[in-house]
Amino acid sequence: MPSSPQDQSQQQNQEPKQELENQEQRDGGKEETKEEVKAEENENKNEEMKQKKKKEGKKEEMEQRKETWKDFIYNPATGEFLGRSASSWGLILLFYLVFYGFLAGMFSLTMWVMLQTLDENVPQHQDRVANPGLVIRPRAAEISFNRSDATKYNLYIQQLHELLQLSFLQVIGLKPRGDPYINCTAKRDSPLQMQYFPSEGRLDKMFFPYYGKNLHPDYVQPLVAVKLLLTKDDFNIEQVVECKLEGSNLRNDDERDKFQGRVTFRIKISE
């Protein structure tokens, strides 16, 4: 049915109301958006202010620390240096001076007392060398050379010449009883002929006792030379020879020390 003029007028009146309501909703949304933006801006400003305050606080703290260190090194208000006044530094330095001076005096006194008990000519303790040892020259426990080639034994000759130019020390105050001599034997079935220098390998009593390097500067240790009288049958065969100190109270049978009063060497001469 066709609408009446009254209905049409009501519809026309309702349409403007709807448009007005829609406009109000849009305006309200814009206002809410503006308020949110303002709130965010305020939050950002507050955060910036907080960060700025923190930085300023750190700077102030660093400056305070610098001032504290400066005051610790030297405080002009109190005149203190490194936390102490001049009188305090004077007292502590005096204490350490007296303390370390006392320690130095005690050390010097102890050294002086110890030196009074020592004899520069005789060692304080020499119980480990109560008995002398024997050594062999040339300095080799195994000697081997070709008798027809001089280059093979020239080294041994040179060592013997050097031995005669040197002086050696032995046990201080040693004075053996009896008549000491050197006796050498070859470890084989038949005896090996030998010749001793001096005769019979005797050690002259003039070499004993030894009084030390200061009182006996030109002392020469007693030597005994042994010459092996080898035959053609002895060439190209290794000979084992043992030499012992005999005829006195000096020991030559200590199994813990193979060189105390004795020495063993091997020699092989080829043609």
Side-chain angles (χ1 to χ4, degrees):
M1 291 179 67
S3 61
S4 63
Q6 187 177 358
D7 294 335
Q8 290 179 358
S9 63
Q10 289 178 353
Q11 291 177 356
Q12 290 176 358
N13 291 331
Q14 290 177 354
E15 289 177 357
K17 288 180 179 179
Q18 291 177 353
E19 290 178 358
L20 181 60
E21 290 176 354
N22 292 335
Q23 184 66 32
E24 289 177 355
Q25 291 177 355
R26 286 194 295 270
D27 292 341
K30 289 180 180 179
E31 290 177 358
E32 291 178 356
T33 303
K34 289 180 180 179
E35 290 178 356
E36 291 176 355
V37 171
K38 288 181 180 180
E40 291 180 357
E41 290 178 353
N42 290 332
E43 289 180 358
N44 293 334
K45 288 181 179 179
N46 291 334
E47 188 66 25
E48 289 177 358
M49 291 295 293
K50 290 180 180 178
Q51 295 294 333
K52 188 175 181 181
K53 288 181 179 180
K54 286 183 179 180
K55 290 181 179 179
E56 291 177 354
K58 288 182 179 179
K59 288 182 179 179
E60 291 178 358
E61 186 179 356
M62 292 295 293
E63 290 177 357
Q64 290 177 356
R65 289 182 179 178
K66 289 181 180 178
E67 292 295 329
T68 302
W69 275 103
K70 288 180 180 178
D71 291 341
F72 174 74
I73 294 174
Y74 178 69
N75 192 337
T78 60
E80 294 180 347
F81 177 72
L82 296 178
R84 291 181 180 274
S85 62
S87 60
S88 177
W89 277 114
L91 290 174
I92 196 170
L93 290 176
L94 178 62
F95 167 78
Y96 280 111
L97 179 64
V98 174
F99 176 71
Y100 286 111
F102 175 76
L103 291 181
M106 286 292 295
F107 176 77
S108 301
L109 178 63
T110 303
M111 291 296 295
W112 180 81
V113 172
M114 185 188 68
L115 292 174
Q116 300 307 306
T117 64
L118 300 179
D119 188 344
E120 62 179 0
N121 299 314
V122 181
Q124 183 74 11
H125 301 286
Q126 50 179 337
D127 53 332
R128 296 185 61 184
V129 289
N131 290 280
L134 290 184
V135 293
I136 181 176
R137 297 291 188 276
R139 193 189 301 271
E142 295 186 5
I143 302 173
S144 177
F145 59 88
N146 190 323
R147 64 192 299 264
S148 60
D149 186 358
T151 59
K152 300 296 183 181
Y153 56 81
N154 276 339
L155 177 63
Y156 299 127
I157 296 176
Q158 181 180 354
Q159 290 183 17
L160 292 176
H161 282 297
E162 292 175 354
L163 173 68
L164 298 176
Q165 302 300 321
L166 299 176
S167 58
F168 301 89
L169 303 177
Q170 68 173 29
V171 181
I172 296 177
L174 177 66
K175 191 173 183 180
R177 295 192 299 268
D179 189 11
Y181 65 95
I182 301 296
N183 181 45
C184 298
T185 57
K187 295 184 178 181
R188 64 179 195 175
D189 296 335
S190 59
L192 178 60
Q193 297 297 319
M194 303 181 191
Q195 186 176 1
Y196 296 92
F197 305 91
S199 178
E200 299 180 352
R202 300 290 177 181
L203 297 175
D204 199 319
K205 291 291 187 68
M206 64 175 289
F207 292 103
F208 306 101
Y210 170 57
Y211 295 106
K213 187 176 182 180
N214 293 332
L215 298 178
H216 229 150
D218 298 326
Y219 178 79
V220 178
Q221 195 172 16
L223 302 174
V224 173
V226 180
K227 181 178 181 180
L228 304 182
L229 304 178
L230 301 177
T231 63
K232 290 184 178 181
D233 296 335
D234 299 324
F235 293 151
N236 303 315
I237 299 176
E238 185 179 71
Q239 310 291 336
V240 180
V241 181
E242 182 182 54
C243 296
K244 287 186 176 183
L245 180 61
E246 306 280 6
S248 71
N249 62 322
L250 301 178
R251 295 186 59 182
N252 60 9
D253 56 355
D254 190 349
E255 293 300 326
R256 297 172 300 177
D257 189 349
K258 299 296 183 180
F259 291 92
Q260 188 179 83
R262 58 178 172 171
V263 66
T264 301
F265 62 94
R266 300 173 184 272
I267 183 168
K268 183 179 179 180
I269 301 176
S270 58
E271 291 187 297

